[in-house]
Amino acid sequence: QSVLTQPPSVSGAPGQRVTISCTGSSSNIGAGYDVHWYQQLPGTAPKLLIYGNSNRPSGVPDRFSGSKSGTSASLAITGLQAEDEADYYCQSYDSSLSGYYVFGTGTKVTVL
Amino acid sequence: QVQLQESGPGLVKPSQTLSLTCTVSGGSISSGSYYWSWIRQPAGKGLEWIGRIYTSGSTNYNPSLKSRVTISVDTSKNQFSLKLSSVTAADTAVYYCARAVGIRWFDPWGQGTLVTVSS
């Protein structure tokens, strides 16, 4: 049961910039919880891409950037490359009920 | 570098209990302020957090699965385990184990294991 909403798909030509939105609510992103992003290549486990809204783990290219504002967050990919074709998920924490981790619905990025 | 590996039956009959184990290597499961989690992904669908355990044994579960889930830890074996009872076809998914940094991000993840519920 995904609590964070993402567009099902985005696409762009090589070298272009694409953005993926992640919309939450006052009990998760809007409550101040950080947003994190994962990249999932076909047939593989998700890999941490952005943590703490805008931080990149070691080894992640600076083409990937994240931001957060209000009840939403965004992931931007600049200089799109063929190897960026993958599924992307946002993730946060929700304080409703007893508290639990929540994921976005996922976005498929296609490189044209 | 910490690595996680899931193991367990790939086929479970309806109404039975799904049991999986995650083995942690490259570091002690007891070190640091980490929570050890289970996450699943049905084919072609998104990610769903199942639950987590701290090395003290404290657990938290997804409210939608809470009545059927038990997560336990064996620090002597550097493992933690998942039990999901009364499974149906809707529980068919790839199950991942992952390390959570508090209530923040998951890193690293195991490679995942496919569990199919079918008679």
Side-chain angles (χ1 to χ4, degrees), chain A residues 38-69:
Chain A
Y38 302 87
Q39 178 192 59
Q40 186 175 33
L41 297 170
T44 69
K47 167 194 161 187
L48 182 66
L49 192 66
I50 297 286
Y51 67 94
N53 304 317
S54 59
N55 302 291
R56 288 186 307 276
S58 174
V60 172
D62 59 6
R63 302 183 290 105
F64 296 92
S65 62
S67 63
K68 173 192 163 185
S69 178

Side-chain angles (χ1 to χ4, degrees), chain B residues 37-57:
Chain B
S37 278
W38 288 97
I39 297 159
R40 70 180 183 178
Q41 184 176 36
K45 296 188 178 181
L47 300 162
E48 180 180 36
W49 175 70
I50 299 170
R52 71 177 187 183
I53 189 165
Y54 195 61
T55 49
S56 64

Side-chain angles (χ1 to χ4, degrees), chain B residues 16-100:
Chain B
Q16 293 191 342
T17 297
L18 178 159
S19 296
L20 295 174
T21 295
C22 181
T23 300
V24 179
S25 60
S28 171
I29 198 171
S30 300
S31 65
S33 300
Y34 299 116
Y35 290 86
W36 303 92
S37 278
W38 288 97
I39 297 159
R40 70 180 183 178
Q41 184 176 36
K45 296 188 178 181
L47 300 162
E48 180 180 36
W49 175 70
I50 299 170
R52 71 177 187 183
I53 189 165
Y54 195 61
T55 49
S56 64
S58 171
T59 55
N60 299 95
Y61 301 128
N62 187 318
S64 68
L65 297 168
K66 186 175 183 177
S67 63
R68 299 194 291 131
V69 175
T70 302
I71 297 176
S72 58
V73 64
D74 187 336
T75 54
S76 67
K77 294 183 178 179
N78 234 30
Q79 296 176 334
F80 63 105
S81 298
L82 168 70
K83 291 189 184 299
L84 181 65
S85 64
S86 305
V87 297
T88 68
D91 295 310
T92 294
V94 174
Y95 285 75
Y96 297 100
C97 57
R99 184 180 71 177

Side-chain angles (χ1 to χ4, degrees), chain A residues 25-48:
Chain A
S25 68
S26 58
S27 62
N28 42 68
I29 299 175
Y33 294 106
D34 287 342
V35 178
H36 322 290
W37 292 88
Y38 302 87
Q39 178 192 59
Q40 186 175 33
L41 297 170
T44 69
K47 167 194 161 187
L48 182 66

